[in-house]
Amino acid sequence: MSAPVPAAGATAAPRSLYGVAAVIVLGSLTTVLDTTIVNVALGPLAREFGAPLTTIQWVASGYTLALAAVIPATAWAIGRFGSKRLYMLALTLFTLGSALAGLAWNAETLIAFRVLQGLGGGMVMPVGMAIILQAAAAEGKQGTLMSILGLPILVGPVAGPVLGGWLVDEVSWRWMFFINVPVGAVAVALAGRVFPPDRPRPGRRLDVPGLLMLSPGLAAVIFGLTRASEGGGGFADPGVAGPVLIGAVLVAAFVVRGLTAAEPLIDLRLLRHRPLAVGAATLFLFVTGYFGSMLLGPMYFQDVRGTSVTASGLLGAPLGLAAGITMQITGRMVDRVAPRLIVLPGVLLAATGLTAFAVQAETGTPYPRLGLALAVTGVGVGMVMMPSIAAATRALAPGDAPAASTLLNINSQVAGSIGPAMVSMVLAGQLDGQARAADAFQHTYVWGIAALAAAALPALLVSARRPARPAGQSAGPKGQPIGAPARVRSEEAVDK
């Protein structure tokens, strides 16, 4: 891979690493919040612009599609522009899109500006992850820093609906976007000050055929899944099956190219590295169940219990709080403890907590009991998400960090789209066939629980050996194949 590595002498000291992580969290939080904050405002936006809900839905879907389309080019762009410069450019584009979205004068301009937001926001998380992986490699701090970097992923689905509901009710829908402008500007300024310097390595050409396969392929799949969750025909609808089939063919063609081309867009041969492949599989199944279930929670509180939008977001807070606290603990543990001893129990605990919530999802269950079940789920989530990423990427060379972070972000983006689409289709069918709404939600939760529990199978293959510092404080020379002794910690070589 011709991705950049930090310039000589640019490795950040431990204290500086936490400053870098804090800036990345600040920037990432705005982009992650925007994937959920708008969902609670679709009804008010439809009334504001006099547009049908099927049109306004693209305020959310257009952003997601743009995220999926731009992520595949991240590894190449890091090599072309350098990670620091690219991060600042992407966050600036996202901030500009936010300002324009707040000024939108009709549904069409709002959708267009949301796409602009997504084109910038799509690169913020994978580039930030690549910066952390490169800066932390020599210190053996991947787990600790991944736990910090994972906070936006967990806080976003919980805080987004609460913040969006409050802004719509008390201020204006425009401030859902304007609020990103000062935060984004501060994050860009801090990034320029605290990020370690790096130098572009533009030797590798952009794999245009691969980009034309993967980006439209992912967009088509997500488009089809979004349509499936909107309509009642499911995958029998040609408007759903067609895009999903075309997208799947394009993605399959990209996989073939990624395994055979000399310089592919994303080198899928990295998946020969067992920890990365196992981590990606675990995350795919877990994220599918987690994000699907997160969609059900607010709907249950609103439709079955009759709570307000803001209250439904607050009632889901125990999950996010428990996950965030646990992540800070397990993220530090994974730098010293065998990852399997954290990830596998976390999967089982999350599935157990979600099962307890689903069983009690009735009309009169006391809220503290439901909150306790969500907290148990959150503890399991905090044990799985970032520890899995840390274990998956620990033995990679710094030069492979951009491709690995891009691969994991695409993996999570697709899973995060499949989960909500899956449960939306199931819930729609259950609501038509069940006499009580509570029964419909309980039956639908089974699908999310099944996806979470299925993640235990690849989690059984997560490394059972304690990590160690990289030999010589370096992951080895860039250019050696995966598996070379200088690039892999000695005790993890057995796990390959």
Side-chain angles (χ1 to χ4, degrees):
M1 300 291 295
S2 299
V5 295
T11 301
R15 180 176 297 179
S16 300
L17 284 178
Y18 293 111
V20 170
V23 175
I24 292 175
V25 166
L26 182 63
S28 298
L29 185 59
T30 60
T31 65
V32 174
L33 278 174
D34 256 42
T35 63
T36 58
I37 196 172
V38 173
N39 290 340
V40 300
L42 294 181
L45 287 173
R47 294 190 292 271
E48 172 77 15
F49 294 122
L53 193 59
T54 52
T55 298
I56 289 296
Q57 173 67 28
W58 286 100
V59 174
S61 300
Y63 181 80
T64 304
L65 288 171
L67 288 177
V70 75
I71 287 175
T74 301
W76 169 83
I78 288 176
R80 177 65 179 83
F81 301 105
S83 55
K84 178 178 179 177
R85 187 183 304 174
L86 180 63
Y87 187 89
M88 296 172 65
L89 176 63
L91 194 53
T92 298
L93 185 62
F94 172 83
T95 304
L96 174 62
S98 298
L100 292 173
L103 297 171
W105 52 92
N106 57 32
E108 289 74 21
T109 55
L110 180 57
I111 293 169
F113 294 145
R114 283 285 285 170
V115 170
L116 181 64
Q117 269 189 298
L119 293 176
M123 285 193 176
V124 169
M125 182 65 79
V127 176
M129 187 183 297
I131 292 172
I132 285 291
L133 291 174
Q134 291 172 335
E139 299 293 332
K141 296 283 187 180
Q142 287 91 338
T144 300
L145 293 169
M146 284 295 105
S147 68
I148 298 173
L149 186 59
L151 286 175
I153 298 175
L154 298 177
V155 171
V158 176
V162 177
L163 180 60
W166 180 79
L167 289 173
V168 171
D169 290 340
E170 304 296 333
V171 190
S172 166
W173 66 266
R174 297 183 183 276
W175 277 94
M176 293 191 303
F177 308 111
F178 285 150
I179 197 172
N180 293 327
V181 177
V183 178
V186 169
V188 170
L190 290 175
R193 185 176 182 85
V194 306
F195 279 8
D198 65 348
R199 57 180 181 272
R201 296 286 184 88
R204 182 168 66 90
R205 293 182 179 180
L206 177 63
D207 178 21
V208 176
L211 184 63
L212 294 178
M213 293 173 188
L214 185 57
S215 289
L218 289 175
V221 170
I222 294 174
F223 174 81
L225 293 173
T226 302
R227 287 290 302 273
S229 64
E230 292 171 357
F235 286 100
D237 184 348
V240 173
V244 171
L245 181 60
I246 292 171
V249 170
L250 288 172
V251 171
F254 170 79
V255 170
V256 173
R257 182 172 180 82
L259 293 172
T260 58
E263 293 186 331
L265 182 68
I266 301 174
D267 191 356
L268 297 182
R269 286 164 292 208
L270 284 174
L271 291 174
R272 295 174 183 171
H273 179 56
R274 177 176 166 178
L276 183 62
V278 168
T282 302
L283 287 168
F284 184 86
L285 292 169
F286 194 85
V287 170
T288 297
Y290 172 61
F291 277 92
S293 302
M294 287 298 296
L295 178 72
L296 290 175
M299 296 174 66
Y300 158 74
F301 285 121
Q302 293 172 39
D303 297 345
V304 178
R305 306 299 292 266
T307 65
S308 67
V309 174
T310 304
S312 67
L314 290 171
L315 288 169
L319 191 155
L321 292 173
I325 294 170
T326 304
M327 182 178 291
Q328 301 313 303
I329 299 171
T330 58
R332 288 158 176 79
M333 289 175 59
V334 80
D335 287 328
R336 304 187 302 271
V337 179
R340 187 188 302 170
L341 299 180
I342 300 173
V343 175
L344 181 57
V347 171
L348 300 177
L349 194 61
T352 300
L354 191 59
T355 300
F357 182 88
V359 169
Q360 300 179 90
E362 294 283 355
T363 56
T365 305
Y367 287 122
R369 284 168 52 185
L370 295 172
L372 178 60
L374 288 177
V376 172
T377 305
V379 172
V381 171
M383 295 172 67
V384 174
M385 299 286 277
M386 287 301 125
S388 293
I389 294 177
T393 57
R394 176 176 288 121
L396 290 174
D400 287 326
S405 64
T406 300
L407 184 62
L408 291 173
N409 273 274
I410 291 173
N411 181 66
S412 296
Q413 182 69 36
V414 173
S417 300
I418 290 176
M422 175 185 70
V423 300
S424 294
M425 288 189 295
V426 174
L427 180 61
Q430 289 291 329
L431 288 172
D432 289 338
Q434 297 285 344
R436 296 193 319 141
D439 291 337
F441 277 92
Q442 287 179 323
H443 283 83
T444 305
Y445 265 112
V446 172
W447 291 80
I449 294 166
L452 284 178
L457 296 176
L460 285 169
L461 303 177
V462 172
S463 175
R465 295 180 176 272
R466 294 179 60 186
R469 297 274 184 177
Q473 296 296 306
S474 173
K478 185 169 66 70
Q480 289 183 350
I482 288 291
R487 291 182 57 178
V488 182
R489 296 186 174 112
S490 58
E491 66 271 55
E492 289 192 355
V494 181
D495 290 321
K496 289 185 176 298

